Amino acid sequence: IEPVNVDMGGVLFRVSKITLMDNSSYFESLLSDRWKIDDKDSDGESSDAVFVDQDPKAFEVLLNYMRCGMVYLPRDEPYLCRKTLMLAEYLGVHGFLVTVKAITMKNVSRRDDYLTDEASEAAQFDVRFGSLRAAVNDGLLPTCYFPPGDSLKIRVSDRVFHASKSILVQKSEYFSRLLTSNPVDYWREEYVSGENPDVMEVALQMLSSPNSAFTTMTEKFHGVEGRSVKFRHFYVQAILTWLDKLGLPADFRDNCVQTITHTFNA
């Protein structure tokens, strides 16, 4: 195996020539027959180093892929991820980019598996999002390469609620628009609302567990404020208004209204 010294931004890497040429169109061209070994060291090996003025940490990530074929991006270092993606494009590490694009396309479409194969998924990515640089600049990458969490933290006044994104998108047009208008939106972790926290609590429970909403409203009506018919009316009206804003399916909304009305009259 013929070794090659690669000076990447001042850091020296010793890599086999075949590893570089098999995985990078840049190095395939650079190390082709035009590349000559002239100077030898005491061991009879080349003392020259191929210099590339790029980030060594990003190259290290790509080198791991070249050596073992596993695509990895450090999720807790988004800046390094972006530099790695751009360096992969510069060096023509196409296999790495095809996998990244395919996984991103699958995640954005919220699918568990590819519809076809990696190459086709990557092609769909290019059609939908354009160039890699555009995807990076728009924040799509590296964010959407990583699987999104399902929990959304909803902050209302001094209270915090946690809800399932999949349920919110499935049952509410309002949250569906909020979380899917832009692909990156589904990766958001927090939403701040100006609604009444008591109303938000019941509305969210209606989406995930109507029985819990029934219990919450019953407890509220049995409290000091709940003894007032005027308060009950205001509270129920506020919940109904928010349910309309959520854009629920007609049959599901009707069930929610029945539950609220039954609780109000209990």
Side-chain angles (χ1 to χ4, degrees), residues 67 150 158 191 204 218:
R67 286 170 168 164
D150 187 56
D158 60 344
Y191 166 64
L204 292 175
T218 300

Side-chain angles (χ1 to χ4, degrees), residues 46 70 88 93 95-96 147 177 179-180 185 203 214 234 265:
S46 172
M70 294 179 62
V93 188
F96 184 91
R177 289 193 300 271
L179 295 172
T180 63
D185 291 342
F214 177 83
F234 171 79
N265 294 324

Side-chain angles (χ1 to χ4, degrees), residues 15 24 78 114 166 175 184 199 205 247 254:
V15 193
S24 163
Y114 296 145
S166 56
F175 279 108
V184 182
V199 172
Q205 288 176 341
D254 291 342

Side-chain angles (χ1 to χ4, degrees), residues 9-27:
V11 177
L12 195 64
F13 295 88
R14 194 166 178 80
V15 193
S16 74
K17 182 177 178 181
I18 192 67
T19 295
L20 294 171
M21 295 184 69
D22 280 356
N23 292 281
S24 163
S25 59
Y26 176 92
F27 284 112

Side-chain angles (χ1 to χ4, degrees), residues 24-264:
S24 163
S25 59
Y26 176 92
F27 284 112
E28 182 182 21
S29 175
L30 185 68
L31 303 179
S32 62
D33 293 338
R34 292 176 297 166
W35 191 72
K36 304 295 183 182
I37 300 177
D38 296 320
D39 300 324
K40 306 289 184 178
D41 59 19
S42 59
D43 296 324
E45 296 181 348
S46 172
S47 59
D48 290 339
V50 177
F51 178 72
V52 183
D53 191 17
Q54 293 289 335
D55 188 274
K57 290 185 177 180
F59 181 66
E60 188 172 5
V61 175
L62 294 178
L63 186 55
N64 286 331
Y65 165 77
M66 294 182 193
R67 286 170 168 164
C68 67
M70 294 179 62
V71 173
Y72 167 78
L73 286 172
R75 186 168 192 166
D76 58 344
E77 297 184 71
Y79 182 57
L80 177 57
C81 289
R82 291 192 287 271
K83 289 193 294 184
T84 300
L85 291 168
M86 298 316 302
L87 180 58
E89 184 175 60
Y90 178 81
L91 296 179
V93 188
H94 301 301
F96 184 91
L97 292 178
V98 164
T99 298
V100 168
K101 291 178 180 180
I103 290 176
T104 301
M105 193 67 204
K106 175 171 65 69
N107 288 341
V108 166
S109 304
R110 297 197 296 282
R111 291 186 269 105
D112 294 327
D113 300 300
Y114 296 145
L115 287 178
T116 50
D117 53 44
E118 277 196 347
S120 298
E121 293 280 358
Q124 291 182 36
F125 177 97
D126 291 334
V127 170
R128 181 171 177 181
F129 301 113
S131 69
L132 179 75
R133 183 174 294 277
V136 171
N137 289 340
D138 292 342
L140 182 77
L141 286 174
T143 301
C144 298
Y145 165 75
F146 304 105
D150 187 56
S151 178
L152 178 67
K153 181 188 296 183
I154 301 177
R155 191 177 298 278
V156 188
S157 186
D158 60 344
R159 297 175 64 183
V160 175
F161 304 100
H162 295 272
S164 164
K165 294 178 187 175
S166 56
I167 290 178
L168 294 177
V169 170
Q170 176 187 0
K171 295 185 176 180
S172 166
E173 291 182 3
Y174 174 85
F175 279 108
S176 180
R177 289 193 300 271
L178 181 73
L179 295 172
T180 63
S181 294
N182 186 301
V184 182
D185 291 342
Y186 200 80
W187 273 254
R188 69 188 301 173
E189 298 179 349
E190 182 172 319
Y191 166 64
V192 178
S193 172
E195 296 295 330
N196 181 294
D198 291 332
V199 172
M200 176 64 79
E201 180 181 20
V202 173
L204 292 175
Q205 288 176 341
M206 281 291 180
L207 295 177
S208 59
S209 177
N211 288 335
S212 296
F214 177 83
T215 301
T216 298
M217 287 188 293
T218 300
E219 292 175 350
K220 193 72 175 178
F221 289 159
H222 287 167
V224 175
E225 291 179 317
R227 295 171 187 169
S228 165
V229 175
K230 183 177 181 180
F231 169 81
R232 286 193 178 197
H233 179 77
F234 171 79
Y235 181 57
V236 169
Q237 193 59 46
I239 294 173
L240 291 174
T241 300
W242 181 231
L243 288 180
D244 284 336
K245 183 177 179 179
L246 287 177
L248 307 176
D251 55 344
F252 183 70
R253 183 193 180 282
D254 291 342
N255 290 334
C256 291
V257 171
Q258 289 178 12
T259 299
I260 294 171
T261 302
H262 174 73
T263 307
F264 179 76

